[in-house]
Amino acid sequence: MAGKSRQRGISFLTLVFILAVLGGAGAVVMQTLPSFLEYQAALKAINKAKSEATVAAVRASFDRYAQVDDITSIRGKDLEVTKNGEQVVVAFNYQREFHLFGPAWLLLKYAGTSNPGR
């Protein structure tokens, strides 16, 4: 009689644990993904708005882009508009909080600066 062969695979409890971890990570990603997409839209908007001549025009232009792209976390008044030589530099920073469960929260801090020379 041949020796006993070893069984391979994962146990049911291990499978349940792995699925719970993947489900929790998926829930966090699903909550934070729209916030990240909004951040990317804000970066595009400041790069378009920086071509305006005055600070007020940059802020108004950003507000127009924000309305089209549904950017709600920041407004034109929240932008930091400066000059670096002859180039206009537009920057912003903000944070978003997401309730996970019980007393647990996730805080994401976003900061962006317009690309120089574009």
Side-chain angles (χ1 to χ4, degrees), residues 10 72 81 88:
I10 60 174
T72 58
V81 182
V88 175

Side-chain angles (χ1 to χ4, degrees), residues 6-59:
R6 289 186 59 155
Q7 291 185 357
R8 292 183 158 177
I10 60 174
S11 70
F12 178 72
L13 290 178
T14 304
L15 178 64
V16 169
F17 177 75
I18 290 172
L19 290 176
V21 169
L22 289 176
V28 170
V29 168
M30 286 176 47
Q31 278 188 332
T32 59
L33 184 63
S35 174
F36 178 73
L37 294 175
E38 182 182 44
Y39 166 72
Q40 293 295 321
L43 283 176
K44 286 182 192 175
I46 64 171
N47 281 312
K48 291 177 184 175
K50 74 176 186 172
S51 63
E52 299 294 332
T54 65
V55 173
V58 168
R59 290 182 172 158

Side-chain angles (χ1 to χ4, degrees), residues 30-105:
M30 286 176 47
Q31 278 188 332
T32 59
L33 184 63
S35 174
F36 178 73
L37 294 175
E38 182 182 44
Y39 166 72
Q40 293 295 321
L43 283 176
K44 286 182 192 175
I46 64 171
N47 281 312
K48 291 177 184 175
K50 74 176 186 172
S51 63
E52 299 294 332
T54 65
V55 173
V58 168
R59 290 182 172 158
S61 178
F62 177 83
D63 284 336
R64 285 191 303 274
Y65 289 120
Q67 188 175 16
V68 170
D69 290 336
D70 197 28
I71 300 169
T72 58
S73 295
I74 57 173
R75 299 280 179 231
K77 64 181 177 159
D78 301 325
L79 299 177
E80 299 171 22
V81 182
T82 58
K83 277 200 145 192
N84 185 6
E86 290 297 316
Q87 294 182 347
V88 175
V89 177
V90 184
F92 64 85
N93 55 35
Y94 65 96
Q95 56 189 20
R96 294 282 310 262
E97 291 181 344
F98 298 96
H99 183 252
L100 298 177
F101 57 88
W105 289 79

